[in-house]
Amino acid sequence: MGRSSLVFLATEAARNFRRTGWVGLSAVVLIALSMMALGAFGLLSMNMGRAITQWRERVKIVVYLREEPPPSAAERLMERFRQIEGVGRVRYVSKYEALSRLRAQLGDQSDLVDRLPTNPLPASVEVGPTSEMTTPEGNRVLVEKLAALPEVEEVQGSSEWVDRLAQFRRLLMGIGVGVGTLLVLAATLTVTVSTILVIHSRRQEMEIMRLVGAPESAVWAPLVLQGLFQGLVGALSAVALLAIGYRFLSPRLIPFFTETLGFPQVSFFSWLEILVLIGSGGLLGAVGGFLARGRVSAA
Amino acid sequence: MIQLHHVWKVYEVGPIKVTALTDVSLKVGRGEFVCLVGPSGAGKTTLLRLLYRDELPTEGELLVDGHEVATLRRSKIPELRRMIGVVFQDARLLPSRTVFENVAFILQVLGAPRKLIAERAFECLKAVGLAAKAHAFPAQLSQGEQQRVALARALVKEPLLLLADEPTGNLDERMAGEILELLRAAHQRGTTVLLATHRVSLGASVGERRITLHAGQIVADSGSGDGT
């Protein structure tokens, strides 16, 4: 296809878009809304995903010991722990260290600790599971293995809450995809309707195009291009609005998320993800235009 | 150029059958100027529509420049139409485009280079005497002028065959004469012209060869087409 053909097709597509008027514009708005909905849910899910990964890495199992081992035996015990499959990092917490932590946690009321006749806190081992064991099943297996050791009194800690959060994230993503899909369908239909309007207003032109022997692609390509153009404009608007929202809201939201959900930071899409979002919008519009193609044959 | 062998065209409207062409056979040679004369309903328009594959014959064989039109694959229709120019009784110009754009549009959709489009469009407008009105819109032109633009549009792609269906039907004698002159000029340049008209006098004045159609049948032919 020559340069002049491309220029012609692009000019015709722009002419078509002008002809669609408000219907064409509402298609752009709907595409923008659907891309925004998908983008916003995507952003939230992406950030939650990152946080969940970090939380999983921080999951620890606390193994309380029946008796505090002497310092020389403690190191041997740690070595036995390390040899258990699924155990990553290991840290020994003596009775003394446990009491010091409690003192630090109590702050102003730390003198309460000093009034205790003896140290009631047990010695413990903090175990970090390997990445393969951060699943609910892996976590359960590891807890059982640790509880079976003769030195162990009690084992606490699991990643259940992280898994519940991961489930919540999946639910949120599902809602996002559901809402986004509905909007995408509505946007595609609107592009199709606006394209059909163009077909009706261009009936005479199409008749002449066919009469002079224009290839069928030259008849419908401007319609697909028009849809593509609507989709790209809609998606670009969505990305711009999301970026503006991110810029203004993230400084206010980061402290809130850090407090509540422990998000270390809220990040925006990468350039590649932005391109995918814009490309999806374009594709959505082009599909809308393409679906109207059937009407071209009828016109 | 054109060959029809026992061509029939029957339209079926519900239970009613209307025969538009009855066993029509004819040959038109390359470079001929043929005037197809007959009253309204004689089958002239149907015959032209069969030639540019706007309609399919009910029966018979139809060849245009070697293309078997009736059995032509859908994807090959544009190829056939690219060598045919068509002019109708109504000019059918695009109202939102200027005279120049109407003519250039044809070359644009056929993917001609930009420079050639401008050159050819102006050349054709000059040939029909409307270069000065290139930037006017169809509504600003007289009917005769509009028909001249339609002719320029049909000729801009330099067709081998020009089909003119009552191109003077809406015009007065003077304007009709101008259009006929332009058709003659196209013929002089080597285009095969098939002019359908109900004006018997017009047919007599221009046609080297005159074919008379009546009720879908050829009732008179002043000559037979040679060549292909």
Side-chain angles (χ1 to χ4, degrees):
Chain A
M1 188 178 281
R3 194 170 154 262
S4 63
S5 298
L6 285 175
V7 171
F8 169 70
L9 291 179
T11 314
E12 288 301 298
R15 195 187 278 256
N16 288 350
F17 180 63
R18 281 201 301 275
R19 282 182 188 179
T20 58
W22 287 106
V23 182
L25 206 61
S26 55
V28 172
V29 171
L30 267 173
I31 289 172
L33 281 176
S34 41
M35 287 293 119
M36 265 185 77
L38 282 174
F41 277 105
L43 265 182
L44 194 62
S45 169
M46 185 178 80
N47 280 292
M48 275 184 86
R50 279 184 191 147
I52 287 167
T53 308
Q54 288 188 12
W55 287 328
R56 280 198 196 284
E57 282 165 8
R58 285 181 207 158
V59 163
K60 65 179 177 191
I61 298 167
V62 182
V63 181
Y64 295 104
L65 303 175
R66 288 185 200 281
E67 285 173 13
E68 183 173 39
S72 57
E75 191 43 49
R76 281 197 302 276
L77 185 64
M78 290 307 95
E79 199 45 49
R80 276 178 56 207
F81 268 73
R82 280 189 200 99
Q83 281 166 7
I84 296 171
E85 195 188 346
V87 170
R89 42 182 212 282
V90 173
R91 187 173 184 278
Y92 175 67
V93 180
S94 64
K95 282 169 71 79
Y96 176 76
E97 191 182 341
L99 198 67
S100 302
R101 282 185 186 177
L102 179 66
R103 191 178 282 121
Q105 280 169 8
L106 289 172
D108 294 344
Q109 294 171 308
S110 61
D111 58 323
L112 288 171
V113 173
D114 299 328
R115 284 186 220 156
L116 293 168
T118 55
N119 181 354
L121 300 176
S124 62
V125 181
E126 290 173 355
V127 175
T130 54
S131 56
E132 307 88 66
M133 299 303 267
T134 51
T135 58
E137 182 55 21
N139 195 264
R140 192 185 56 77
V141 169
L142 187 59
V143 167
E144 277 175 12
K145 275 185 193 170
L146 294 168
L149 293 171
E151 297 87 348
V152 174
E153 175 75 31
E154 193 186 341
V155 181
Q156 273 185 3
S158 75
S159 62
E160 262 179 43
W161 64 278
V162 182
D163 296 307
R164 276 202 294 272
L165 204 69
Q167 279 174 358
F168 174 68
R169 179 200 171 205
R170 280 195 287 275
L171 177 74
L172 199 74
M173 199 54 203
I175 294 170
V177 169
V179 172
T181 307
L182 280 178
L183 282 167
V184 160
L185 283 175
T188 312
L189 275 177
T190 316
V191 173
T192 307
V193 168
S194 68
T195 312
I196 288 170
L197 285 180
V198 169
I199 291 169
H200 284 287
S201 68
R202 291 191 68 208
R203 193 176 284 268
Q204 203 184 351
E205 276 169 44
M206 289 178 175
E207 196 183 299
I208 289 167
M209 285 167 98
R210 290 208 171 97
L211 189 67
V212 300
E216 204 54 24
S217 58
V219 181
W220 59 260
L223 304 171
V224 176
L225 268 182
Q226 171 212 328
L228 178 76
F229 176 69
Q230 283 172 303
L232 287 177
V233 171
L236 273 169
S237 314
V239 169
L241 288 170
L242 282 171
I244 291 169
Y246 172 76
R247 189 175 166 77
F248 285 98
L249 290 177
S250 64
R252 292 168 181 82
L253 289 178
I254 286 172
F256 170 74
F257 282 136
T258 310
E259 283 286 314
T260 54
L261 295 168
F263 277 25
Q265 60 175 19
V266 180
S267 50
F268 196 64
F269 292 121
S270 66
W271 282 110
L272 182 68
E273 286 160 341
I274 288 174
L275 280 178
V276 168
L277 203 64
I278 293 171
S280 308
L283 185 70
L284 183 76
V287 167
F290 188 79
L291 288 178
R293 216 185 90 168
R295 296 295 182 108
V296 178
S297 322
Chain B
M1 184 74 197
I2 300 171
Q3 290 182 49
L4 275 79
H5 299 291
H6 306 290
V7 170
W8 289 71
K9 179 64 189 176
V10 182
Y11 292 102
E12 285 186 43
V13 189
I16 304 163
K17 286 185 177 180
V18 181
T19 305
L21 291 175
T22 309
D23 197 24
V24 173
S25 294
L26 72 91
K27 277 185 182 178
V28 175
R30 192 181 287 271
E32 267 197 271
F33 191 127
V34 178
C35 201
L36 210 55
V37 187
S40 295
K44 306 183 297 291
T45 300
T46 302
L47 198 144
L48 297 190
R49 289 176 74 180
L50 290 177
L51 293 175
Y52 63 90
R53 205 11 228 276
D54 196 34
E55 293 275 4
L56 279 169
T58 311
E59 220 182 294
E61 197 188 19
L62 207 144
L63 285 125
V64 176
D65 197 37
H67 292 81
E68 172 50 270
V69 178
T71 56
L72 204 61
R73 281 213 317 269
R74 210 177 155 76
S75 59
K76 292 282 178 192
I77 296 174
E79 204 177 295
L80 168 80
R81 290 184 179 173
R82 256 170 253 157
M83 61 178 181
I84 302 174
V86 188
V87 186
F88 301 99
Q89 183 168 353
D90 51 332
R92 297 191 191 179
L93 300 179
L94 303 171
S96 61
R97 294 178 196 250
T98 64
V99 165
F100 173 78
E101 285 169 344
N102 263 282
V103 178
F105 181 68
I106 306 308
L107 295 176
Q108 284 173 328
V109 302
L110 294 178
R114 250 176 133 174
K115 198 168 167 246
L116 179 82
I117 292 172
E119 272 174 20
R120 279 291 301 150
F122 268 115
E123 205 177 285
C124 282
L125 285 174
K126 222 160 118 183
V128 298
L130 282 172
K133 294 198 173 181
H135 300 294
F137 284 92
Q140 296 168 306
L141 305 180
S142 70
Q143 275 196 321
E145 286 172 328
Q146 285 185 27
Q147 199 59 288
R148 274 150 64 188
V149 177
L151 197 53
R153 188 177 65 181
L155 292 170
V156 73
K157 59 176 180 170
E158 297 176 320
L160 289 175
L161 173 65
L162 179 66
L163 305 175
D165 189 7
E166 300 277 10
T168 60
N170 292 337
L171 307 178
D172 60 31
E173 287 298 322
R174 188 181 62 81
M175 285 180 177
E178 285 176 12
I179 294 297
L180 289 177
E181 277 309 311
L182 292 170
L183 289 175
R184 271 200 199 101
H187 175 236
Q188 298 282 309
R189 288 194 296 271
T191 307
T192 308
V193 180
L194 200 56
L195 165 69
T197 180
H198 66 277
R199 292 186 188 181
V200 180
S201 58
L202 198 70
S205 68
V206 293
E208 289 177 11
R209 180 179 170 197
R210 198 167 71 146
I211 296 172
T212 308
L213 268 176
H214 187 77
Q217 285 180 298
I218 294 178
V219 291
D221 188 347
S222 67
S224 57
D226 297 325
T228 54

